[in-house]
């Protein structure tokens, strides 16, 4: 077998920016305010902090350590990494298919949503977003968004598709240039730019003054109070704890296989404790400090200091917040076109650093397991993704995108994270796992996390999975309701069924590829730089 | 915003910022 030359990160900071870029996505700026606002004032932040410590940080460390471990065996994607944990348990590589399948499915619609942010940022500069007299005219903005997405007649959908093509080509170009020449370089520029844009927007919002006739309590600081005042009575509501855990989970990009892949390019003695913590904290800074200071305080100023109104805005969903509420608000402030552009372009940067990360597991799979060149792997990925992206674009009104999101960004990642942490804490063994986590570590993780990783986090994840399955997911799976809990329209059923058949075929296709790859190399890849020593030690 | 809200927010923001600066500084001092 030919010796496989592994890609490596250019700098130690590069991998942190890349992982942070992966985690800081549209969800930080759109999903977090929606979740934090939905349950009313003073409800969300305490459960969110607890979930961050109990679920978020342990999972981040587990994924970094697992990824680096798998990388020593020459594997950068789920099947190889899972198999490396227990080489004798041959089924593990098929379970690891989830860590390729999930990101692949997310890419089929994420790139399209990302293209909306590019389109809207250009519309902001050109003044093409419809002008409204006041925030009460949200229907105009909503109609514009629906026309843009082809859900209502009157828009120019060809323009929407052109923005998708541009976004798709940008993504493929970055991926083509590889880990160091493409992903790392883009993240090194995009992440600091995103932070600067976020700070400018947060400062603008926090210095906003309410329109003349508004309530005197409609200040941005009181908007912050909506988030930060504590209403301890609400802590008795288990739904808030589940929602907070879910948000922490989604925002850190854990469970989907991206961190596994990125950290697999580390060297065996590279630190993962400090790196994992840094990426998690950078993500939290973007979410809590920046995103938390933009939408809710701005809505408080312009829609009034009425909790029910803020809850209604938050409950309208991430897309309405980002593409309806925020443009409405920016039109009411001086230089609104500029701030509108900043908002949408910041979302675009957040989007692209995430979309290139979810592409990498599939590309890495072909590079490692089939010894394909980067160019060939990217070409296969591009061709497959271009075809698979079409249903989410053209069949949006039939709920296809929601169903894809349900399977890939909800079901698979919660299940995937639960499997990962059980593999690490129980199959790998907690003592060995703790030792693996601390190999080359620049800081020591508090010993309480050993207990959390083994008992508390898996239990927490099992509860989340069980409760969500019972409350909502089971009805989605049997096609009774859509992922939002509304009855599934009969007209949508054939499209949802078709989507699921497509997903099943994709999962089987990747599983067959795994089977073929293991027939070919038997699970062992000889790598040119390092790792062989660890492999030999294992083989003894 | 209430006083306890201010305290909670400043502790959270301050904690995150301090931790981010500490982590980046430690990482950069070790960077190749």
């Amino acid at each position: 077998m030919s010796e496989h030359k592994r890609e490596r990160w250019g700098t130690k900071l590069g991998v942190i920016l890349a992982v942070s870029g992966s985690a800081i996505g549209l969800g930080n700026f759109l999903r977090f305010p929606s979740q934090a606002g939905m349950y009313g004032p003073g409800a969300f932040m305490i459960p969110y902090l607890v979930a961050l410590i109990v679920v978020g940080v342990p999972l981040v460390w587990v994924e970094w350590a697992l990824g680096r471990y798998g990388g020593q065996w020459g594997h950068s994607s789920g099947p190889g990494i899972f198999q490396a944990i227990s080489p004798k348990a041959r089924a593990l590589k098929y379970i690891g298919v989830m860590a390729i399948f999930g990101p692949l499915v997310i890419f089929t619609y994420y790139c399209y949503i990302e293209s909306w942010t590019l389109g809207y940022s250009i519309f902001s500069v050109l003044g093409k977003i419809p002008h409204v007299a006041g925030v009460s005219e949200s229907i105009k903005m909503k109609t514009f968004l629906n026309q843009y997405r082809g859900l209502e007649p009157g828009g120019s959908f060809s323009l929407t598709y052109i923005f998708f093509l541009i976004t798709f080509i940008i993504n493929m170009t970055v991926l083509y240039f590889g880990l160091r020449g493409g992903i790392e370089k883009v993240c090194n520029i995009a992440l600091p730019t995103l932070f600067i844009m976020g700070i400018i927007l947060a400062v603008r919002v926090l210095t906003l003054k309410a329109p003349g006739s508004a309530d005197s309590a409609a200040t941005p600081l009181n908007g912050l109070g909506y988030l930060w005042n504590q209403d301890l009575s609400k802590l008795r509501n288990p739904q808030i704890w589940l929602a907070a855990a879910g948000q922490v989970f989604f925002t850190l990009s854990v469970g989907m296989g991206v961190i596994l892949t990125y950290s697999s390019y580390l060297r065996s003695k590279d630190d993962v404790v400090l790196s994992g913590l840094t990426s998690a904290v950078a993500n939290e800074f973007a979410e809590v400090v920046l995103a938390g200071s933009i939408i809710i305080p701005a809505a408080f100023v312009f829609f009034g200091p009425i909790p029910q109104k803020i809850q209604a805005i938050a409950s309208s969903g991430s897309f309405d917040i980002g593409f309806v509420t925020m443009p409405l608000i920016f039109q009411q402030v001086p230089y609104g076109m500029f701030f509108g552009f900043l908002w949408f372009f910041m979302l675009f940067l957040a989007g692209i650093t995430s979309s290139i990360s979810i592409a990498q597991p599939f590309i890495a799979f072909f590079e490692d397991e089939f010894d394909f060149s980067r160019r060939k792997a990217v070409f296969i990925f591009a061709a497959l993704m271009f075809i698979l992206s079409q249903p989410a674009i053209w069949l949006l009104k039939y709920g296809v995108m929601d169903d894809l999101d349900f399977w890939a960004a909800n079901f698979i990642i919660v299940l995937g994270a639960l499997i990962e942490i059980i593999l690490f804490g129980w199959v790998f063994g907690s003592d060995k796992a703790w030792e693996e986590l601390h190999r080359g570590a620049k800081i020591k993780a508090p010993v309480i996390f050993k207990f959390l990783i083994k008992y508390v986090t898996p239990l927490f994840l099992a509860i989340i999975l069980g409760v969500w399955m019972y409350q909502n997911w089971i009805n989605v799976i049997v096609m009774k309701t859509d992922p939002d809990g509304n009855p599934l329209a009969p007209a949508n059923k054939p499209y949802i069924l078709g989507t699921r058949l497509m997903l099943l075929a994709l999962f089987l296709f990747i599983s067959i590829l795994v089977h073929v790859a293991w027939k070919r190399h038997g699970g062992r890849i000889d790598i040119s730089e390092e790792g062989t020593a660890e492999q030999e030690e294992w083989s003894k | 915003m209430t006083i306890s809200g201010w305290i909670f927010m400043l502790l959270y923001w301050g904690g995150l910022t301090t931790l981010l600066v500490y982590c980046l500084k430690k990482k950069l001092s070790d960077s190749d």
Side-chain angles (χ1 to χ4, degrees), chain A residues 158-278:
Chain A
S158 52
L159 201 56
T160 308
Y161 201 76
I162 289 169
F163 279 120
F164 164 70
L165 290 177
I166 294 169
T167 308
F168 191 82
I169 291 167
I170 293 172
N171 271 276
M172 295 311 139
T173 309
V174 175
L175 291 166
Y176 176 82
F177 283 104
L179 197 70
R180 205 183 286 196
I183 295 173
E184 190 171 340
K185 271 192 181 158
V186 166
C187 291
N188 282 350
I189 298 165
L191 253 277
T193 311
L194 181 153
F195 269 86
I196 292 167
M197 287 177 156
I199 290 168
I200 293 171
L201 283 167
V203 169
R204 172 67 279 215
V205 167
L206 295 178
T207 52
L208 280 174
K209 286 199 167 50
S213 57
D215 189 321
S216 62
T219 65
L221 285 184
N222 282 336
L224 283 177
Y226 184 93
L227 211 57
W228 294 101
N229 293 339
Q230 301 108 51
D231 182 351
L232 299 179
S233 67
K234 286 187 175 145
L235 298 183
R236 288 196 292 265
N237 180 358
Q239 287 299 335
I240 298 177
W241 288 88
L242 284 170
Q247 177 57 25
V248 163
F249 193 78
F250 296 127
T251 188
L252 291 170
S253 276
V254 287
M256 63 172 74
V258 171
I259 300 177
L260 286 181
T261 297
Y262 271 9
S263 58
S264 75
Y265 297 110
L266 292 170
R267 290 181 175 81
S268 63
K269 296 272 165 51
D270 281 346
D271 153 87
V272 293
V273 181
L274 179 62
S275 299
L277 185 65
T278 312

Side-chain angles (χ1 to χ4, degrees), chain A residues 368-389:
Chain A
D368 296 337
E369 315 301 349
F370 288 95
D371 227 354
F372 280 8
S373 66
R374 179 87 191 174
R375 191 177 165 181
K376 201 170 169 185
V378 171
F379 182 77
I380 292 171
F381 176 78
L384 187 66
M385 280 303 95
F386 186 74
I387 296 165
L388 294 181
S389 296

Side-chain angles (χ1 to χ4, degrees), chain A residues 268-331:
Chain A
S268 63
K269 296 272 165 51
D270 281 346
D271 153 87
V272 293
V273 181
L274 179 62
S275 299
L277 185 65
T278 312
S279 65
V281 174
N283 175 71
E284 285 309 300
F285 187 88
E287 179 153 300
V288 174
V289 180
L290 298 182
S293 303
I294 297 175
I295 291 180
I296 291 180
F300 220 74
V301 172
F302 283 99
F303 289 86
I306 304 159
Q308 289 79 3
K309 264 192 183 173
I310 305 297
Q311 272 181 276
I313 291 168
S315 305
S316 67
S318 302
F319 293 155
D320 276 14
I321 285 178
F323 296 91
V324 176
T325 309
M326 290 311 284
L328 277 173
I329 289 172
F330 287 130
Q331 285 195 357

Side-chain angles (χ1 to χ4, degrees), chain A residues 45-73:
Chain A
M45 293 314 291
I46 291 176
Y48 181 83
L49 177 62
V50 173
L52 178 66
I53 295 165
V54 174
V55 179
V57 175
L59 275 171
V60 164
W61 276 335
V62 165
E63 284 212 12
W64 275 79
L66 274 179
R68 183 187 59 176
Y69 183 76
Q72 293 157 41
W73 292 70

